[in-house]
Amino acid sequence: MKDPIVDNHAHPIVASQGSQARYADNLVRLMDENNVAFTILHRNAEWTTGVAKFGPDHDDWVRAAMDRHPGRLFGGLGGFNPASPDAPEYVRSQLRTGRWAFVGELDLRNPGPKTQIPINSPTVLEIGRIAGEFGVPLV
């Protein structure tokens, strides 16, 4: 038997692209076929307008996928706008649940979704401090 593979960067689909549960099941089936031990899910936003759309529905889906396939799918907390002054409290409340492997993937500067958020903005720095308090990486 070969050593298992770790997939450290997958993006979930959004609800408009199909069944999220079927996506998770198919992902794990493909993992099994290819000796992938676990996969880490990063943030995915629906960019129908070309502008990033943030929302806790992403985090709800990732939690559901992790619950559906415990130990196989791990997720990052990413359903928030890192430029919003409300983001730090959202991050803190979610990290208190103990469910998140990391915070992110934060989309700070990306021409696709048109995000231009300085990494040294007070809000992003506060999110980093909160991640540190909880001992989770900021991606």
Side-chain angles (χ1 to χ4, degrees):
M1 175 186 222
K2 292 178 170 180
D3 289 332
I5 298 167
V6 172
D7 179 353
N8 75 345
H9 200 123
H11 290 276
I13 63 170
V14 294
S16 63
Q17 293 174 301
S19 166
Q20 294 168 329
R22 188 168 49 245
Y23 173 86
D25 293 346
N26 285 336
L27 178 60
V28 171
R29 180 184 53 76
L30 289 169
M31 290 165 57
D32 290 342
E33 291 174 8
N34 293 283
N35 199 34
V36 175
F38 62 88
T39 294
I40 299 172
L41 298 172
H42 291 263
R43 186 182 72 80
N44 199 10
E46 192 165 6
W47 297 338
T48 55
T49 63
V51 177
K53 176 183 170 189
F54 301 95
D57 53 337
H58 161 79
D59 295 332
D60 293 341
W61 183 84
V62 171
R63 268 192 307 273
M66 290 189 300
D67 289 346
R68 192 172 181 88
H69 298 284
R72 301 300 306 280
L73 299 176
F74 295 89
L77 175 65
F80 61 91
N81 181 343
S84 169
D86 297 329
E89 185 49 41
Y90 178 78
V91 169
R92 184 180 303 283
S93 69
Q94 288 296 310
L95 290 180
R96 281 186 185 127
T97 68
R99 300 289 314 279
W100 300 102
F102 60 96
V103 175
E105 166 184 26
L106 298 186
D107 213 346
L108 301 179
R109 299 210 181 242
N110 189 331
K114 300 179 182 172
T115 53
Q116 293 294 318
I117 303 165
I119 194 167
N120 64 347
S121 72
T123 301
V124 174
L125 292 174
E126 180 63 16
I127 291 167
R129 280 190 286 277
I130 293 167
E133 285 175 28
F134 285 87
V136 298
L138 175 65
V139 178

